[in-house]
Amino acid sequence: FLFASNQVKHRSEMTATKRSPEPSLLRKAPHLTGRRTAIDPDPPVTRKAIDAAPSHDAGAKVDNETASTGSAGNVTSGLSLDTDVSSLDSVADFSTPFDRLVDFFVVMGADMNVENKKTKKPTDLGFETKFIDCVPKQREDMEFPVEMPQFCFPGGCKLSCEQKETKVFNFVLTASSGDLLFLSAAMMYEPITSAQLSELYWDRSISLPAWLSNAEDGATYYLPKTIAVVSHYPYYDAQSQFLHELVRLKNVGSPLPLERYIANFVYDIPLPRPGGAAVRWNCFGRSEAGLELVMGSPNKLPMVFFSYEPLFRTLSVTNVMTVWGALLQEGKVVLRSNHLSLLTPVAEALLSLLFPFTWQGMYIPILPNNMVDVIEAPVPFLVGIHGECHNEQPQGVVICDLDEDIVHLGYDYNGKVGSMPVLPRQASLKLKTELSEMVDQMYLIPACGLKGRVTRGSEELMSNSQREIWGHMSILKESSNVDLREQILSDAGSVKMTAAGEGDGDENVESNNSEEGEGSNDGGQQPLTPKRVVGLSYAGMKNQRERVTKFFYDRNTRLENAVRNMFLTFLTSLLCDYKTYHFQTFRKQAYLTTFIGNSKELAESVIMSQMFEQFLTGPEARRSLFDKCIARGNANEVSKEPEGGKMGRLTRAEIKQKERASANAIIPQPPYDAGVWRMQNYTYDDTFPKLDEDELLAHNVLDPSLCSFAQSCCWDLIGPR
């Protein structure tokens, strides 16, 4: 999967010379020289190991004295065969040497130094970026990721003629140590007048460009600024929600200085323990901003920290299977979109469906424009490109357009027109049928009305007669000049500006995560009062556009579990006998003789891959889980649904688990409010403020006795702010 194990070691070497990146590419991206973090074998998890995990911060309190036992009860290795795979607690394979939720909060923007270059229009003017603020300034146990700005500004820091909406997006970096860093960023656009721009030129004795000298008095332009959260743990929902709320408070006013919320998030929120109690966090006091953070039990199905809805709302089942098949065979895949917030959730969802395999190729979910040459690297990769891909499509590279739901196969390595992945006929048809029943209603229909477009060669549209039977295209409606799909995608990642107490949700929105319609969380984080929409027809897309947009990135645990179960069933049916040929070494050629037809071609690609090699030599827990899924598959039980069906009522076990987790929840301290006048509302101008270090106060960075004294009787000394 995506994350590092407890004994993580970064493996940067490639097993074959032909798969080694070119030196020129590595010089452009020194932090990308290693493969996706590999997982080394780890010892069986015991109660002693769990007890040795990082403890919670002193600033947190526990609702129940029994919280130390965790919401999952006793931790055991292995699986119970009478438990459905889709309802398992889960844990990501990441290491836990960093006993904190957040590493850094960072503010980045333009350095305001203009260069003596000709610009024909305002949008040609670009700036270098700089770090404006960082909380904390440094960490003793890790290096600061200095390459952040080029990923936070993938298209460069360029002037805009209009004030664009604030967008929140996520991405992944590989640190120089080999650790994966998970970042969430909010890009906002702040005003700068023509007079201010002119001063920048005059200060450096540079003549004004024509567009600026002819600008109207008081003309306003806009420059991007980004705030970001850096973590070793992929709690994307918590990070994104924090940034959403912080930007909202900056715009509508805040009862506390923004620095107090930042310090609270960085210092006071504890990291959940593996298999332990959930951390219930809501520092903004709004129901919509409340989240529960958990770290699932070891030796269970890996956790997901993101929604599957962006994947199935943007791509048809046909194209999901096409891209997934290319990744399963360790191909080269480029995801393209004009919407930054789409790229990482779709990439993460695709990689999670490879379980029990871990992606071993290069992985850059948001690729800066100045690094686009990476798509010519002679290694497997999955990268995301924001905006148009101006480079010619290299041979052997699959480009997936998320905005239009088109997969461009181009040409293969031999210069022949590309072809769709060859998947076993019966298993692929079953997978498509089950997936379609589950997710077709979620699909956002493009303006052309065609679902599942695939091109090859010089963008020649493939007809159904040229496709595998599971990959047929369909016509859903006549073409239209109104592109509701694009409107929804444009609005989905934006920060909504509502005053405190407003916008806590539409009471008429259908709730599918309540006890009536949604299961307990399998790991990651879940809204405390989730209200969402599973999917809509085209008519519903028009009538309920606002609802679809609002809940576009929300989690749906039942959907995630059901989809993962379907892809896992496909892989267990393909590799059900692999263990028979695995004793000390794996007899690949002997195993391949047991396959026939399409199954043999796919099996050969998988068995010869680095992912399969890592699966055989990696953690025993992963193989053990897969073996037990195979055993259940042979007993025709893999696809068994929880009581009540895919979207039915909670099972009795799920209800008990939810009650236990709720009773044991850990509630961190709210933001530190000593010395703040209770009735004051802090307002800010159109720019994100320079942080005041004197206001970066948190419970875990102050003397507890001083905190108590200041809160209770220090008003005369401190005075109202």
Side-chain angles (χ1 to χ4, degrees):
F1 201 74
L2 162 64
F3 319 107
S5 70
N6 291 344
Q7 311 292 329
V8 63
K9 293 182 180 178
H10 187 65
R11 298 174 180 173
S12 59
E13 67 275 13
M14 292 293 180
T15 57
T17 304
K18 65 179 182 179
R19 294 197 172 206
S20 298
E22 295 177 351
S24 61
L25 291 176
L26 300 187
R27 284 195 294 270
K28 293 180 181 179
H31 55 289
L32 300 173
T33 55
R35 294 190 322 218
R36 188 174 179 78
T37 303
I39 302 175
D40 287 338
D42 49 357
V45 177
T46 62
R47 169 57 61 186
K48 183 178 180 180
I50 293 299
D51 290 340
S55 60
H56 297 301
D57 292 335
K61 63 180 180 179
V62 182
D63 277 1
N64 191 297
E65 293 180 358
T66 62
S68 60
T69 63
S71 61
N74 292 332
V75 178
T76 59
S77 60
L79 288 171
S80 172
L81 293 182
D82 59 356
T83 304
D84 185 51
V85 173
S86 64
S87 62
L88 293 173
D89 287 337
S90 53
V91 63
D93 295 323
F94 48 58
S95 57
T96 55
F98 302 95
D99 59 347
R100 56 181 178 264
L101 182 67
V102 177
D103 294 319
F104 296 101
F105 174 84
V106 185
V107 183
M108 293 157 284
D111 65 358
M112 308 308 289
N113 290 323
V114 296
E115 297 182 3
N116 192 10
K117 294 182 179 179
K118 292 183 178 180
T119 54
K120 296 181 179 179
K121 55 185 184 296
T123 52
D124 291 339
L125 180 60
F127 294 87
E128 295 294 324
T129 54
K130 67 175 182 179
F131 294 101
I132 300 174
D133 277 307
C134 184
V135 182
K137 297 296 184 184
Q138 61 182 6
R139 295 281 192 184
E140 294 182 357
D141 54 356
M142 67 173 290
E143 294 183 7
F144 183 79
V146 294
E147 65 274 10
M148 279 178 56
Q150 61 180 324
F151 292 89
C152 290
F153 302 90
C157 186
K158 294 186 175 181
L159 198 66
S160 173
C161 294
E162 59 181 357
Q163 187 170 24
K164 301 178 181 179
E165 291 185 311
T166 299
K167 297 286 186 178
V168 176
F169 56 97
N170 308 301
F171 59 98
V172 181
L173 287 180
T174 304
S176 57
S177 63
D179 293 328
L180 292 180
L181 299 178
F182 306 92
L183 295 89
S184 296
M187 182 184 292
M188 60 195 76
Y189 282 80
E190 299 181 342
I192 181 171
T193 64
S194 56
Q196 291 172 317
L197 282 174
S198 298
E199 288 182 5
L200 297 179
Y201 280 91
W202 293 332
D203 289 345
R204 303 197 64 180
S205 302
I206 301 175
S207 58
L208 300 181
W211 60 266
L212 183 56
S213 59
N214 297 331
E216 297 180 1
D217 293 339
T220 303
Y221 303 95
Y222 300 90
L223 274 174
K225 178 183 285 186
T226 299
I227 57 176
V229 175
V230 184
S231 176
H232 275 81
Y233 304 96
Y235 288 100
Y236 291 126
D237 280 4
Q239 295 173 182
S240 298
Q241 185 67 59
F242 172 76
L243 294 177
H244 270 276
E245 291 298 313
L246 198 65
V247 174
R248 185 187 65 84
L249 289 178
K250 190 271 291 186
N251 285 275
V252 303
S254 168
L256 295 173
L258 294 183
E259 291 86 349
R260 300 293 181 94
Y261 295 103
I262 295 170
N264 179 251
F265 190 56
V266 172
Y267 297 115
D268 290 341
I269 311 302
L271 182 71
R273 294 176 61 178
V279 175
R280 183 175 296 169
W281 169 72
N282 186 1
C283 76
F284 295 98
R286 295 205 314 156
S287 60
E288 282 191 338
L291 293 169
E292 283 191 354
L293 314 178
V294 300
M295 189 181 293
S297 303
N299 300 324
K300 297 295 179 72
L301 197 64
M303 292 187 348
V304 294
F305 296 85
F306 41 83
S307 172
Y308 277 26
E309 292 207 13
L311 174 65
F312 292 108
R313 288 204 181 275
T314 56
L315 294 182
S316 61
V317 170
T318 292
N319 284 346
V320 169
M321 292 177 62
T322 300
V323 177
W324 177 78
L327 293 172
L328 189 62
Q329 299 175 59
E330 288 196 334
K332 303 177 182 180
V333 176
V334 174
L335 304 178
R336 193 214 69 80
S337 176
N338 290 324
H339 311 289
L340 268 177
S341 53
L342 262 185
L343 294 170
T344 299
V346 171
E348 295 283 348
L350 287 167
L351 291 187
S352 72
L353 299 178
L354 294 175
F355 182 85
F357 304 122
T358 305
W359 179 249
Q360 297 295 297
M362 191 188 312
Y363 177 58
I364 316 173
I366 295 181
L367 184 69
N369 291 355
N370 61 358
M371 293 173 54
V372 73
D373 289 345
V374 164
I375 68 174
E376 298 179 8
V379 294
F381 58 72
L382 174 61
V383 302
I385 292 180
H386 178 236
E388 296 297 330
C389 183
H390 298 293
N391 287 35
E392 183 178 350
Q393 184 173 359
Q395 292 183 354
V397 175
V398 174
I399 297 180
C400 178
D401 190 326
L402 301 179
D403 297 344
E404 300 293 337
D405 183 28
I406 305 176
V407 175
H408 302 285
L409 299 176
Y411 294 91
D412 63 15
Y413 296 105
N414 299 319
K416 299 179 180 179
V417 292
S419 59
M420 299 177 73
V422 179
L423 304 178
R425 180 186 178 93
Q426 185 175 352
S428 57
L429 283 176
K430 179 184 178 183
L431 176 60
K432 181 181 180 180
T433 300
E434 293 180 347
L435 275 176
S436 297
E437 291 177 357
M438 175 68 70
V439 303
D440 268 0
Q441 60 176 334
M442 301 168 58
Y443 181 69
L444 298 177
I445 305 171
C448 68
L450 296 178
K451 179 181 180 183
R453 286 177 288 172
V454 178
T455 69
R456 62 179 182 176
S458 300
E459 300 192 1
E460 169 196 352
L461 185 65
M462 292 181 68
S463 64
N464 284 343
S465 61
Q466 298 170 316
R467 304 181 182 213
E468 300 288 337
I469 190 170
W470 56 264
H472 282 184
M473 177 177 57
S474 57
I475 301 176
L476 300 182
K477 70 176 186 67
E478 295 182 357
S479 61
S480 170
N481 293 328
V482 179
D483 193 349
L484 290 174
R485 174 189 172 102
E486 177 60 28
Q487 294 173 9
I488 291 174
L489 295 181
S490 297
D491 294 342
S494 303
V495 177
K496 306 305 177 193
M497 301 308 168
T498 56
E502 296 180 2
D504 284 345
D506 185 348
E507 294 183 359
N508 296 322
V509 175
E510 179 184 354
S511 174
N512 292 301
N513 288 358
S514 65
E515 291 193 3
E516 294 280 331
E518 180 59 67
S520 58
N521 190 12
D522 74 324
Q525 53 273 357
Q526 194 80 328
L528 297 180
T529 56
K531 299 176 182 178
R532 53 192 313 289
V533 177
V534 171
L536 297 169
S537 64
Y538 180 69
M541 209 163 76
K542 288 198 234 180
N543 297 331
Q544 307 204 35
R545 168 187 163 188
E546 183 177 348
R547 295 181 181 181
V548 176
T549 299
K550 183 174 182 178
F551 303 109
F552 192 88
Y553 292 100
D554 280 10
R555 297 278 308 279
N556 183 336
T557 307
R558 284 287 178 99
L559 169 67
E560 295 158 8
N561 288 335
V563 169
R564 297 169 80 192
N565 203 18
M566 294 172 192
F567 281 90
L568 184 56
T569 302
F570 180 97
L571 291 174
T572 54
S573 67
L574 177 70
L575 303 172
C576 57
D577 297 328
Y578 90 95
K579 199 170 184 180
T580 307
Y581 297 84
H582 185 209
F583 180 73
Q584 293 183 344
T585 60
F586 187 76
R587 294 180 294 154
K588 295 181 180 180
Q589 297 303 326
Y591 186 42
L592 287 175
T593 60
T594 64
F595 292 89
I596 59 174
N598 292 350
S599 297
K600 184 171 184 178
E601 184 174 341
L602 178 64
E604 183 174 9
S605 298
V606 173
I607 291 170
M608 297 298 179
S609 69
Q610 296 181 52
M611 290 191 299
F612 189 76
E613 183 68 25
Q614 193 275 334
F615 168 70
L616 296 177
T617 59
E620 175 63 31
R622 212 169 254 268
R623 290 192 301 278
S624 176
L625 174 57
F626 189 61
D627 292 345
K628 291 180 179 180
C629 292
I630 290 175
R632 293 178 53 203
N634 292 337
N636 297 319
E637 293 183 2
V638 171
S639 296
K640 176 175 143 187
E641 292 298 333
E643 181 181 347
K646 297 175 181 176
M647 294 295 174
R649 293 176 178 271
L650 292 174
T651 63
R652 192 171 298 175
E654 288 173 329
I655 293 175
K656 288 184 178 180
Q657 181 186 18
K658 186 173 183 179
E659 292 174 348
R660 186 165 57 245
S662 178
N664 294 336
I666 296 170
I667 302 178
Q669 293 276 14
Y672 187 73
D673 61 356
V676 176
W677 181 249
R678 308 285 182 178
M679 302 301 294
Q680 181 171 347
N681 192 43
Y682 291 83
T683 57
Y684 301 89
D685 57 19
D686 293 331
T687 63
F688 193 85
K690 175 70 177 175
L691 299 183
D692 183 354
E693 293 188 10
D694 293 336
E695 289 290 0
L696 288 170
L697 304 178
H699 299 278
N700 286 342
V701 293
L702 293 172
D703 183 348
S705 61
L706 177 60
C707 295
S708 175
F709 177 72
Q711 288 178 333
S712 60
C713 59
C714 200
W715 285 102
D716 292 337
L717 298 177
I718 299 178
R721 179 164 178 93

